[in-house]
């Protein structure tokens, strides 16, 4: 049965959201044009920024001695256009919620007749990963962005105030119209398509598939499933946080455009500032969530790889932080105001640019995160160019209303240092985006028939680090000096106030360099700069909290940034491979292991099952494959469950117990988490303390070996472990040709390169899986196998039951041996064994020590707290001023 109703409802709601967004745009635009203006005497705090001109709404701005009067447009007693637009936006928001509910209903109920559900979900996925399916595809991520914009728009229709609502929500609604068009899925003729619908049936998306010729109502029994790399709890919260950050950047952009439109290039900053701080906090949090997801899920050994998609989010955040600093000085500096306008506009445009490069297919294989092109690249380009044109034309036409500074800024003013800090942030952003955009340059040249030889750096981490480390050294120093300037600690052009934190910086840095064995001069400079930022901002913080702690947001955020840099310095600069191969033998001859002078062969350890190996200070033992059942805590041995392929269920081959509790009896069917196999690696410390890590891997038909690390978190370091090579856990053992041995008790023979001794053959009444009756007979051999780490006991049995002979095999995964007792000759006293050999179970693993990485995560949390304190303070200030004005 094909469930068409929910899809038709969803598609109708998409069309409704698009139409109502257009109606809201037009309605708010006409409302803004129709607003009446009256001249009100409003004192401007900074006389040097008073300007004379004519408002676009007809009001005048008049200069007066000591203060300026600015025309403020007031809404008419009855504004029909605004009411129409507001209700249109309400309906639009309701439609967006309905679209999301319809799509999730399809995914949750496994309606695989829909292309989106079939492409991104499967029957086995637990609920939290079904939520991730919602935004794995392009259409779902656009819908998530659309949702956050709609929710913020609803808040701002009430919170922005009557004078800002019309011009500001005009921009919001226009953005919503563009975003809704991305999921519209309307085709005009045979060539032009507007958007890509998430409610497309599978037979509509794949009309030429032979199965639909034979059965037009064919519905797959299961879907393709979620990308295994996204089956992580961080992927449940990271994308919504990222798109909330994207949506929040629209608020200062809309205020800025509205302010320029109203010929009030300064007035927009006060209501926008708290939102800008929240935007910086949320987007920064999303970036670090992505870094932590990479640290937990990907196996490149870190949390930041300078991937083009990572960069395309990081760059707008850097520019946004620069905008925050220039907004602080905009009221006192014309240069600061102009820069704040440029950076606020640039932040949103860079968000659109990052959307274009990651979703148009331009990045190709340059990024592991980028989306494939759904035919929306032209539409995305129009989206980007439309807002670039709008912002540039409007800013250029209104630039004349921003006066020049009357006095040149001195280096002894806070405005100078904040402006320099914003400039350095923008230079850092430019360096990143200039390199990241190389595929874009190539595509542009190709469109003109040119061939470009530009290529992304072969070692992108080294390339970006070489520049960015110096930018952040300068930023660290500026945060210290800038804070002292901001709080007027530097008096009479003397820098005496910085002497104490400077001395403390040198003493602490010298100690860290000496005892931490830091020998790289660049790392020394970064450490000194970070400690200086920590000391100076810490001193300022102590002064602030004695007075009003609400003023401490900036100092706290800067201290968090300094801690982050220290954490990055140690965890990345002094990350140490501890899984060194000291055997002198090559683990693999594959190119992945032999390139770069056998780097991976030298930095990986081969572990055979249950055979201890020394690795640095640890003794490691691989304890076998594990799987994860949905209702059983921890991990269970894979050999205890017969996994049903493609069904994500298994049959218990023995009782499943954990911590003394019986969860499943032998023969029960149990639900498994999909596809992943965990490899238990036991670490024994010199003190005798033992802990286990469970790196996971999945042998995927489309993507090969997908390995994710497991990490032991300690106070001063992390032990980071992942597997680089494993046998296919789903493959059957390939047994070699049977070898036969006839031996007497106490005889020695060779068993798969091991020495084996037949110690004894004794009668037994217990054989697993078989009941031995009084008329039956069974014996069990005791074969002792010696290796370098000790001995293994194998007990193959020989059974006579109901006049039939059985000889069940004994299998040793550690030895890679299957042995059967096939014959007993009482005349000669000889016992005949059939032996097969196979590949022993093993893992090839790599492990790092990452010192002081917790300082990075602690610093991230402190930065977020600083942003939050500052945002709450600025919001309260704005509300107090609004209340006084009323």
């Amino acid at each position: 049965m094909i469930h068409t109703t929910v899809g038709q409802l969803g598609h109708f709601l998409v069309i409704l959201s698009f139409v109502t967004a257009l109606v809201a745009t037009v309605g708010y635009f006409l409302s803004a044009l129709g607003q009446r203006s009256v001249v009100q005497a409003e004192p401007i705090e900074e006389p040097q920024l008073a300007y004379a001109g004519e408002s676009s709404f007809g009001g005048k701005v008049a200069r007066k001695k000591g203060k300026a009067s600015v025309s403020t447009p007031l809404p008419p007693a009855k504004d029909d256009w605004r009411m129409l637009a507001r209700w249109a936006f309400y309906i639009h928001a309701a439609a967006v919620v309905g679209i999301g509910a319809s799509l999730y209903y399809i995914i949750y109920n496994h309606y695989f007749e829909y292309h989106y559900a079939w492409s991104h979900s499967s029957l086995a996925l637990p609920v939290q990963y079904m939520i991730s399916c919602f935004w794995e595809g392009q259409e779902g991520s656009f819908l998530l962005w659309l949702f956050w914009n709609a929710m913020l728009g609803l808040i701002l229709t009430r919170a922005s105030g009557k004078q800002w609502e019309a011009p500001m929500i005009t921009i919001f609604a226009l953005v919503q119209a563009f975003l809704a068009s991305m999921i519209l899925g309307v085709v005009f003729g045979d060539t032009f398509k507007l958007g890509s619908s998430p409610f497309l049936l599978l037979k509509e998306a794949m009309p030429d598939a032979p199965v639909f010729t034979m059965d037009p109502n064919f519905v797959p029994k299961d879907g393709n499933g979620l990308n295994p790399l996204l089956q992580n709890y961080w992927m449940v919260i990271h994308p919504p946080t990222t798109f909330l950050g994207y949506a929040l950047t629209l608020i200062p952009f809309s205020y800025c455009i509205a302010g320029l439109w109203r010929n009030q290039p300064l007035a927009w900053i006060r209501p926008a500032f708290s939102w800008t701080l929240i935007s910086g906090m949320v987007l920064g949090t999303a970036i670090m969530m992505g870094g932590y997801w990479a640290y937990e899920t990907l196996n490149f050994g870190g949390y930041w790889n300078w991937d083009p998609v990572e960069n395309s989010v990081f760059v707008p955040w850097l520019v946004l932080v620069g905008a925050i600093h220039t907004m602080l000085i905009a009221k006192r500096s014309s240069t600061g105001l102009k820069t704040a306008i440029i950076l606020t506009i640039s932040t949103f445009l860079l968000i659109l640019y990052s959307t274009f490069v990651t979703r148009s297919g331009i990045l190709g294989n340059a990024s592991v995160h980028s989306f494939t092109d759904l035919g929306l690249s032209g539409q995305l380009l129009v989206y980007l160019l439309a807002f670039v044109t709008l912002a540039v034309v409007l800013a250029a036409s209104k630039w004349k209303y921003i006066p020049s500074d009357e006095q040149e800024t001195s280096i002894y003013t806070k405005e100078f240092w904040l402006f320099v800090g914003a400039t350095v942030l923008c230079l850092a952003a430019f360096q990143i985006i200039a390199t990241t955009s190389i595929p874009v340059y190539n595509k542009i040249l190709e469109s003109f028939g040119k061939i470009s030889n530009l290529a992304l750096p072969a070692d992108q981490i080294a390339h970006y680090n070489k520049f960015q480390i110096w930018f952040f050294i300068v930023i660290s120093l500026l945060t210290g000096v800038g804070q002292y300037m901001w709080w007027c600690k530097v008096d009479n052009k003397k820098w005496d106030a910085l002497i104490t934190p400077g001395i403390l910086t040198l003493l602490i840095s010298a100690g860290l360099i000496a005892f931490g064995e830091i020998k790289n001069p660049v790392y020394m400079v970064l450490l000194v700069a970070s400690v200086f930022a920590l000391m100076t901002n810490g001193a300022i913080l102590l002064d602030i909290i004695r007075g009003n702690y609400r003023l401490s947001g900036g100092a706290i955020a800067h201290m968090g940034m300094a801690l982050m840099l220290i954490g990055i310095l140690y965890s990345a600069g002094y990350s140490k491979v501890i899984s060194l191969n000291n055997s002198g033998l090559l683990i693999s001859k594959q190119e992945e292991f032999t390139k770069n002078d056998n780097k991976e062969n030298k930095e990986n350890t081969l572990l055979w099952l249950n055979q201890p190996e020394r690795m640095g200070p640890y003794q490691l033992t691989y304890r076998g494959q594990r799987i994860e059942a949905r209702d059983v805590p921890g991990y269970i041995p894979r050999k205890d469950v017969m996994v049903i392929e493609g069904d994500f269920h298994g049959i218990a081959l023995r009782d499943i117990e954990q911590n003394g509790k019986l969860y499943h009896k032998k023969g029960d069917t149990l639900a498994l988490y999909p596809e992943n196999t965990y490899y238990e690696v036991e670490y024994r410390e010199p003190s005798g303390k033992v802990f286990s890590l469970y790196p996971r891997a999945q042998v995927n038909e489309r993507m090969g070996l997908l390995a994710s690390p497991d990490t032991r978190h300690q106070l001063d370091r992390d032990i980071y472990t992942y597997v680089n090579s494993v046998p296919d856990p789903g493959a059957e053992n390939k047994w070699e040709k049977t070898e036969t041995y006839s031996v007497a008790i106490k005889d020695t023979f060779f068993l798969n390169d091991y020495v084996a001794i037949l110690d004894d053959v004794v009668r037994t009444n217990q054989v697993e899986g078989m009941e031995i009756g009084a008329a039956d007979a069974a014996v069990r051999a005791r074969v002792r196998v010696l290796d370098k780490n000790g001995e293994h006991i194998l007990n193959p049995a020989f059974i006579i039951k109901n006049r039939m002979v059985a000889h069940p095999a004994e299998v040793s995964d550690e030895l890679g041996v299957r042995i059967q007792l096939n014959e007993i000759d009482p005349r000669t006293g000889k016992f005949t064994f059939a032996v097969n050999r196979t590949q022993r179970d093993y893992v090839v693993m790599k492990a790092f020590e990452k010192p002081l990485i917790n300082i990075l995560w602690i610093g991230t949390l402190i930065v977020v707290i600083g942003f939050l304190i500052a945002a709450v303070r600025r919001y309260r200030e704005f509300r107090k001023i609004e209340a006084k004005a009323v």
Side-chain angles (χ1 to χ4, degrees):
M1 176 182 176
I2 297 179
H3 305 83
T4 56
T5 303
V6 65
Q8 291 170 350
L9 174 62
H11 189 62
F12 166 75
L13 291 172
V14 171
I15 296 172
L16 180 63
S17 70
F18 176 68
V19 172
T20 51
L22 289 177
V23 171
T25 302
V26 174
Y28 273 123
F29 178 78
L30 294 174
S31 173
L33 290 181
Q35 285 181 336
R36 292 181 292 112
S37 295
V38 295
V39 176
Q40 288 184 327
E42 280 192 353
I44 291 182
E45 298 177 23
E46 294 74 32
Q48 69 268 29
L49 285 184
Y51 54 86
E54 185 170 338
S55 167
S56 60
F57 302 111
K60 297 286 185 179
V61 179
R63 288 192 182 274
K64 294 185 179 181
K65 188 174 181 179
K67 63 182 180 180
S69 296
V70 182
S71 64
T72 303
L74 297 176
K78 185 177 181 182
D79 188 346
D80 293 334
W81 282 118
R82 184 167 65 86
M83 292 307 298
L84 171 66
R86 181 182 284 185
W87 278 104
F89 197 88
Y90 290 166
I91 296 171
H92 164 79
V96 169
V97 172
I99 298 167
S102 300
L103 183 58
Y104 186 71
Y105 186 83
I106 288 170
I107 294 170
Y108 183 80
N109 288 285
H110 307 301
Y111 291 168
F112 296 124
E113 59 265 40
Y114 288 94
H115 184 259
Y116 197 89
W118 174 80
S119 298
H120 302 293
S121 69
S122 66
L123 293 171
L125 290 175
V127 173
Q128 67 267 30
Y129 295 153
M130 288 185 197
I131 297 172
S132 297
C133 294
F134 184 95
W135 44 72
E136 186 194 17
Q138 287 215 46
E139 301 92 339
S141 59
F142 277 124
L143 179 53
L144 182 60
W145 194 356
L146 196 68
F147 169 79
W148 282 127
N149 276 351
M151 296 303 101
L152 292 173
L154 288 178
I155 294 171
L156 289 166
T157 55
R158 297 292 183 180
S160 58
K162 292 182 179 179
Q163 62 173 331
W164 290 105
E165 180 186 353
M168 187 182 169
I169 307 300
T170 300
I171 306 301
F172 249 86
L174 182 60
V175 169
Q176 289 296 84
F178 272 102
L179 284 176
S181 73
M182 294 296 171
I183 58 172
L184 203 54
V186 176
V187 179
F188 299 92
D190 296 328
T191 57
F192 182 70
K193 180 178 77 167
L194 189 63
S196 177
S197 174
F199 300 104
L200 214 58
L201 290 171
L202 196 59
K203 63 182 178 182
E204 294 171 334
M206 307 167 65
D208 298 328
V211 67
F212 294 113
T213 304
M214 296 182 290
D215 181 8
N217 295 319
F218 170 77
V219 177
K221 293 183 178 179
D222 202 356
N224 283 339
L226 183 67
N227 184 325
L229 294 177
L230 302 181
Q231 294 175 23
N232 181 285
Y233 59 91
W234 284 104
M235 280 295 105
V236 178
I237 57 176
H238 166 55
T241 309
T242 301
F243 282 99
L244 176 58
Y246 280 11
L248 283 164
T249 62
L250 177 57
I251 298 178
F253 174 79
S254 298
Y255 269 117
C256 181
I257 294 297
L260 292 173
W261 185 6
R262 292 160 51 87
N263 291 340
Q264 292 181 297
L266 177 62
W268 66 274
I269 287 181
R270 191 180 295 278
F273 192 42
S274 57
W275 287 107
T276 310
L277 288 165
I278 293 172
S279 175
M281 178 188 74
V282 173
L283 194 57
T285 301
I287 290 169
M288 290 312 299
M289 280 182 176
Y292 199 84
W293 164 76
Y295 185 64
E296 281 209 336
T297 306
L298 304 181
N299 63 355
F300 63 84
Y303 38 79
W304 195 259
N305 202 36
W306 293 111
D307 182 271
V309 173
E310 295 172 345
N311 296 347
S312 64
V313 182
F314 185 48
V315 166
W317 184 78
L318 286 176
V319 175
L320 179 62
V321 174
I324 289 170
H325 287 80
T326 54
M327 289 168 77
L328 284 168
I329 60 174
K331 292 183 289 185
R332 298 183 179 275
S333 167
S334 173
T335 302
L337 175 58
K338 292 175 181 177
T339 309
I341 291 170
I342 293 171
L343 297 186
T344 301
I345 290 172
S346 298
T347 298
F348 180 71
L349 295 182
L350 283 167
I351 291 291
L352 298 186
Y353 177 73
S354 70
T355 304
F356 171 70
V357 297
T358 56
R359 296 165 190 277
S360 62
I362 285 179
L363 290 179
N365 296 324
S367 170
V368 297
H369 304 289
S370 63
F371 290 87
T372 55
D373 186 13
L374 290 181
L376 301 179
S377 53
Q379 200 172 330
L380 286 166
L381 186 59
V382 171
Y383 183 15
L384 172 62
L385 293 178
F387 281 93
V388 169
T389 303
L390 169 67
V392 171
V393 170
L394 184 61
S397 64
K398 304 295 183 178
W399 209 248
K400 59 187 176 182
Y401 294 110
I402 306 174
S404 300
D405 292 325
E406 296 179 1
Q407 295 180 350
E408 186 175 342
T409 302
S410 167
I411 65 168
Y412 295 98
T413 61
K414 56 189 175 185
E415 290 82 10
F416 173 82
W417 291 98
L418 286 175
F419 179 77
V420 171
T423 302
V424 176
L425 284 168
C426 291
L427 289 173
F430 177 78
Q431 188 273 324
I432 298 170
I433 202 67
T435 304
T436 303
S437 298
I438 285 175
V440 180
Y441 310 150
N442 294 340
K443 198 71 176 180
I444 293 172
L445 290 173
E446 286 175 14
S447 65
F448 288 98
K450 305 288 185 180
I451 297 177
S452 173
N453 294 321
L454 288 173
L456 290 167
D459 187 347
Q460 58 188 14
I461 295 177
H463 170 80
Y464 288 108
N465 285 349
K466 154 174 87 173
F467 293 100
Q468 292 300 311
I469 195 168
W470 289 106
F471 284 122
F472 278 90
I473 286 171
V474 175
I475 289 168
S476 297
L477 296 173
L478 288 173
T479 60
V481 177
Q483 277 289 77
Y484 267 68
M485 288 294 181
W486 183 260
W487 295 104
C488 302
K489 297 293 182 181
V490 177
D491 297 324
N492 300 320
K493 300 184 179 181
K494 292 182 180 180
W495 303 88
D496 295 353
L498 290 170
I499 292 177
T500 300
I503 292 173
L504 289 174
T505 296
L506 293 176
L507 291 174
I508 294 172
S509 300
L512 291 173
I513 290 169
F515 293 104
E517 299 182 353
I518 297 177
K519 298 177 181 178
N520 187 319
V522 179
Y523 292 173
M524 292 180 186
V525 176
L526 178 60
L527 180 64
V528 171
S530 301
V531 173
F532 177 73
L534 201 58
M535 292 297 103
T536 50
N537 283 279
I540 292 294
L541 180 61
L542 288 175
D543 284 345
I544 293 172
I545 58 178
R546 292 192 188 104
N548 185 355
Y549 73 91
R550 292 188 180 91
L551 304 176
S552 61
I556 291 174
H558 290 151
M559 290 180 69
M561 184 273 297
L563 287 172
M564 287 179 66
L565 290 177
I566 293 171
I568 291 169
L569 168 63
Y570 279 97
S571 61
Y574 290 93
S575 176
K576 181 174 69 174
V577 177
I578 57 176
S579 55
L580 297 177
N581 177 12
N582 297 315
S583 68
L585 302 175
L586 294 181
I587 292 174
S588 174
K589 294 183 179 179
Q590 296 178 359
E591 183 183 356
E592 178 186 348
F593 281 80
T594 58
K595 65 183 180 181
N596 299 325
D597 191 26
N598 278 307
K599 183 175 185 293
E600 293 302 312
N601 271 312
K602 295 175 181 177
E603 295 184 352
N604 280 267
T605 291
L606 173 62
L607 297 178
W608 299 105
L609 181 65
N610 290 328
Q611 294 194 6
E613 292 288 343
R614 176 64 55 183
M615 186 187 78
Y618 304 100
Q619 178 178 286
L620 266 64
T621 308
Y622 167 48
R623 293 301 187 189
Q625 300 176 16
R626 305 287 183 260
I627 56 176
E628 195 175 10
R630 296 196 186 186
D631 59 348
V632 181
Y635 306 99
I636 57 179
R638 187 182 178 93
K639 64 182 180 181
D640 290 355
V641 177
M642 183 178 70
V643 177
I644 303 172
E645 294 296 330
D647 187 54
F648 305 117
H649 285 79
I651 307 297
L653 299 178
R654 54 178 51 85
D655 291 349
I656 305 296
E657 294 185 15
Q658 288 283 48
N659 302 319
K661 180 180 178 181
L662 178 65
Y663 286 89
H664 292 279
K665 293 183 178 180
K666 181 180 178 180
D668 286 353
T669 299
L670 60 159
L672 306 175
Y673 280 112
E675 301 167 329
N676 295 309
T677 299
Y678 297 82
Y679 297 85
E680 182 181 357
V681 179
E682 179 186 277
Y683 281 73
R684 183 177 294 274
E685 297 179 340
S687 64
K689 185 178 181 180
V690 175
F691 63 89
S692 292
L693 294 179
Y694 296 86
R696 75 178 186 184
Q698 179 184 139
V699 180
N700 188 280
E701 292 182 3
R702 294 175 295 167
M703 306 173 71
L705 177 68
L706 298 174
S708 295
D710 193 18
T711 305
R712 167 80 168 181
H713 301 291
Q714 298 176 331
L715 186 63
D716 62 336
R717 70 192 63 223
D718 277 3
I719 307 297
Y720 178 96
T721 303
Y722 64 91
V723 295
N724 248 332
S725 179
V726 294
D728 186 346
E732 295 288 337
N733 281 339
K734 294 181 179 179
W735 298 99
E736 294 183 2
K737 184 179 178 180
T738 301
E739 298 176 357
T740 302
Y741 299 91
S742 293
V743 294
I745 293 175
K746 302 302 181 183
D747 278 356
T748 299
F749 60 104
F750 289 97
L751 193 64
N752 195 11
D753 299 328
Y754 299 103
V755 175
I757 302 169
L758 176 59
D759 281 340
D760 203 356
V761 178
V762 296
R763 187 177 180 89
T764 182
N765 293 320
Q766 294 181 342
V767 177
E768 185 177 357
M770 190 171 293
E771 184 177 345
I772 306 300
D776 303 326
V779 296
R780 188 185 295 280
R782 186 178 191 274
V783 180
R784 183 160 44 97
V785 183
L786 308 179
D787 73 359
K788 65 178 183 178
N789 296 306
E791 62 183 30
H792 303 266
I793 305 300
L794 303 179
N795 299 112
F798 185 90
I799 305 164
I800 301 175
K801 184 177 176 63
N802 299 326
R803 297 184 180 182
M804 299 184 68
V805 176
H807 28 82
E810 177 90 353
V811 178
S812 171
D813 293 326
E814 295 99 316
L815 302 175
V817 167
R818 179 174 65 190
I819 185 170
Q820 292 172 287
L821 177 54
N822 279 356
E823 294 180 10
I824 301 175
D825 190 339
R827 293 174 302 168
T828 62
K830 293 287 184 83
F831 300 86
T832 302
F833 295 93
V835 177
N836 301 92
R837 299 187 296 176
T838 189
Q839 172 66 62
R840 289 183 289 162
D841 193 9
Y842 70 93
V843 293
V844 175
M845 55 155 281
K846 191 169 186 176
F848 298 85
E849 278 188 349
K850 294 190 170 294
L852 301 183
I853 192 170
N854 286 330
I855 293 179
L856 167 61
W857 310 127
I858 292 169
T860 301
L861 179 61
I862 292 173
V863 168
V864 171
I865 292 171
F867 268 103
L868 184 60
I869 291 173
V872 170
R873 173 202 165 196
R874 295 292 178 174
Y875 179 76
R876 285 176 174 172
E877 286 181 354
F878 171 66
R879 282 302 173 199
K880 285 180 181 179
I881 293 171
E882 286 282 292
K884 288 180 181 179
V886 174

